[in-house]
């Protein structure tokens, strides 16, 4: 009886925390990390990057026809992905033998409440996270992506009706254009680590605006840092480096964890499966998506934004 009563109290406490989340002010700082000069250097042969724009009209989600999402494969190698995870953990204080840190600095991911405030909502977002602000890493990544001419041409300048679904009709009517910020992506990298049973429920990404109001985001950039079994077409159990751990210490390959685009009623879906070195870029407006449940292993990914600034059209003679 006492056990049942305690369970009831625990459930009531959990339900209360969901209804009334505790909003806290957050401020993220990172430790200095040594970044090798050769890390994420330009590719000798950028043609190895495979570009696949999602044609929503010919998917289970035709209602997203005309919206933009693109998948780039082979942007990073597996060894570069592993090194990036290690550096992210170092930025959070991990791998320091003089000051051991629990979980190498990974902490539960929180939900943005605006104005540097966040709250924990494990029924909606359940994963671990490291936030690392590093302009150099993101700049190198963006330079590598834009070695692909198609990507440089598409993302450099947004003007006209072609970009209406991204910037909004009212912005299309303005006399001007949106130009990629000099730094390209937001320097804030959100490294995410999902274990079995963890997820990010369906949502649309919010835009980020710099404190001075001069720049804002229009696209989300996801970089996947390890392979999933489904991306490689592997059905049988598989074990190996950075692929989750069984009780005996053997490491199991990631299963699940796709970035899933949903119909608004969540009856239809389109999965982009994690694959080491794969980049997914998609517009932040109108694309309803989730981080699908991980069923085995561990998923590592990093998220950032593409930042733009508005350039007004100059009058004649200026």
């Amino acid at each position: 009886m006492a056990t049942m009563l305690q369970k009831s109290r625990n459930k009531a406490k959990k339900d209360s925390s969901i209804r009334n989340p505790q909003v806290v002010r957050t401020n993220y700082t990172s430790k200095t990390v040594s970044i090798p000069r050769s890390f994420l250097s330009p590719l000798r042969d950028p043609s190895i990057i495979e570009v696949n724009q999602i044609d929503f009209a010919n998917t289970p989600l035709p209602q997203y026809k005309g919206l933009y999402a693109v998948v780039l494969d082979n942007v990073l190698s597996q060894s570069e992905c592993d090194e990036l995870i290690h550096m992210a953990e170092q930025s959070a204080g991990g791998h320091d033998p003089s000051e051991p840190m629990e979980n190498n600095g990974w902490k539960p991911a929180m939900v943005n409440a605006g104005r540097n405030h966040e709250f924990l909502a494990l029924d909606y977002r359940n994963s671990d996270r490291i936030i690392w602000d590093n302009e150099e890493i993101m700049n190198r990544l963006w330079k590598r992506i834009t070695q692909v001419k198609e990507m440089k041409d598409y993302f450099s300048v947004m003007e006209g009706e072609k970009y209406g679904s991204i910037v909004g009709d009212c912005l299309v009517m303005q006399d001007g254009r949106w130009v990629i910020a000099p730094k390209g992506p937001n320097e804030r990298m959100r490294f995410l680590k999902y274990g079995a049973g963890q997820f990010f429920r369906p949502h649309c990404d919010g835009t980020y605006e710099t404190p001075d109001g001069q720049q804002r985001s229009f696209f989300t950039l996801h970089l996947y840092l390890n392979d999933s079994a489904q991306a490689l077409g592997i059905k049988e159990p598989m074990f190996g480096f950075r692929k989750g751990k069984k009780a005996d210490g053997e490491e199991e390959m990631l299963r699940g964890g796709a970035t899933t685009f949903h119909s608004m009623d969540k009856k239809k879906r389109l999965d982009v499966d994690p694959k080491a070195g794969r980049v997914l870029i998609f517009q932040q407006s109108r694309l309803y998506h989730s981080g699908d449940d991980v069923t085995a292993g561990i998923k590592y990914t990093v998220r950032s934004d593409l930042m733009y600034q508005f350039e007004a059209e100059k009058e004649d003679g200026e």
Side-chain angles (χ1 to χ4, degrees):
M1 184 69 172
T3 302
M4 291 181 63
L5 180 60
Q6 186 60 47
K7 287 183 178 180
S8 177
R9 286 174 176 170
N10 290 342
K11 183 179 184 302
K13 184 176 180 181
K14 179 181 178 182
D15 291 344
S16 176
S17 66
I18 292 172
R19 291 192 302 270
N20 304 293
Q22 182 179 2
V23 178
V24 297
R25 184 174 181 83
T26 52
N27 180 35
Y28 295 98
T29 58
S30 304
K31 292 184 177 294
T32 301
V33 178
S34 176
I35 302 171
R37 291 182 61 183
S38 60
F39 183 66
L40 291 186
S41 58
L43 295 170
R44 292 183 179 179
D45 179 13
S47 67
I48 68 168
I49 297 179
E50 298 177 12
V51 180
N52 292 289
Q53 184 177 341
I54 297 176
D55 179 9
F56 284 106
N58 292 306
T59 71
L61 303 173
Q63 61 267 46
Y64 292 146
K65 178 181 177 180
L67 303 192
Y68 189 87
V70 64
V71 178
L72 309 173
D73 281 324
N74 306 318
V75 179
L76 271 70
S77 67
Q78 178 68 74
S79 62
E80 288 174 324
C81 291
D82 297 336
E83 189 170 1
L84 189 54
I85 293 170
H86 186 82
M87 286 192 290
E89 292 174 339
Q90 286 182 309
S91 79
H95 307 289
D96 184 350
S98 64
E99 297 182 30
M101 175 166 284
E102 183 180 359
N103 203 19
N104 277 327
W106 295 95
K107 296 180 180 179
M110 303 181 77
V111 178
N112 183 27
R115 298 182 180 274
N116 297 319
H117 286 76
E118 296 180 300
F119 61 93
L120 196 63
L122 295 179
D123 61 322
Y124 171 65
R125 181 177 197 176
N126 189 345
S127 66
D128 288 338
R129 182 177 67 181
I130 289 174
I131 289 183
W132 182 22
D133 293 340
N134 192 284
E135 180 182 326
E136 182 63 28
I137 290 289
M138 291 310 301
N139 185 260
R140 293 185 193 184
L141 173 61
W142 188 240
K143 283 184 176 179
R144 183 173 285 191
I145 289 171
T146 52
Q147 283 186 267
V148 179
K149 186 177 184 300
E150 181 183 347
M151 296 295 95
K152 184 176 182 179
D153 291 346
Y154 184 83
F155 289 111
S156 292
V157 179
M158 295 193 294
E159 60 182 337
E161 295 182 2
K162 175 182 178 180
Y163 295 94
S165 70
I166 297 166
V167 302
D169 293 337
C170 62
L171 297 179
V172 170
M173 300 301 291
Q174 295 182 20
D175 292 329
R177 60 186 190 168
W178 289 94
V179 179
I180 192 77
K183 298 177 183 178
N186 185 356
E187 66 180 24
R188 173 148 292 185
M189 297 181 286
R190 298 81 149 184
F191 286 81
L192 301 169
K193 178 181 178 182
Y194 294 81
Q198 293 188 306
F199 52 81
F200 195 165
R201 294 300 181 226
H203 61 283
C204 286
D205 286 349
T207 59
Y208 171 73
E209 188 173 288
T210 54
D212 61 9
Q214 296 300 304
Q215 297 179 6
R216 60 162 293 179
S217 67
F218 285 101
F219 297 93
T220 291
L221 185 154
H222 269 299
L223 167 61
Y224 302 96
L225 299 174
N226 64 323
D227 289 326
S228 61
Q230 62 271 20
L232 302 184
I234 297 171
K235 295 183 179 180
E236 68 277 9
M238 183 175 179
F239 302 91
F241 183 65
R242 283 211 184 278
K243 298 169 185 175
K245 290 185 178 180
K246 294 202 307 181
D248 60 6
E250 220 177 348
E251 297 182 340
E252 187 175 357
M253 186 166 228
L254 165 65
R255 294 180 185 275
T259 300
T260 301
F261 295 105
H262 297 270
S263 59
M264 295 307 292
D265 61 7
K266 294 187 281 190
K267 292 182 178 179
K268 295 183 179 180
R269 58 187 283 162
L270 173 68
D271 292 344
V272 177
D273 291 314
K275 186 178 181 183
R278 169 175 284 176
V279 170
L280 167 66
I281 303 175
F282 59 92
Q283 66 181 72
Q284 293 177 331
S285 64
R286 299 170 58 187
L287 280 177
Y288 190 51
H289 64 283
S290 68
D292 203 20
D293 296 54
V294 170
T295 59
I298 297 175
K299 169 188 172 182
Y300 290 93
T301 185
V302 58
R303 177 207 186 284
S304 188
D305 318 90
L306 298 191
M307 304 300 297
Y308 286 79
Q309 54 196 32
F310 188 74
E311 285 188 356
E313 186 174 300
K314 293 183 179 180
E315 299 290 342
D316 290 341
E318 289 188 23

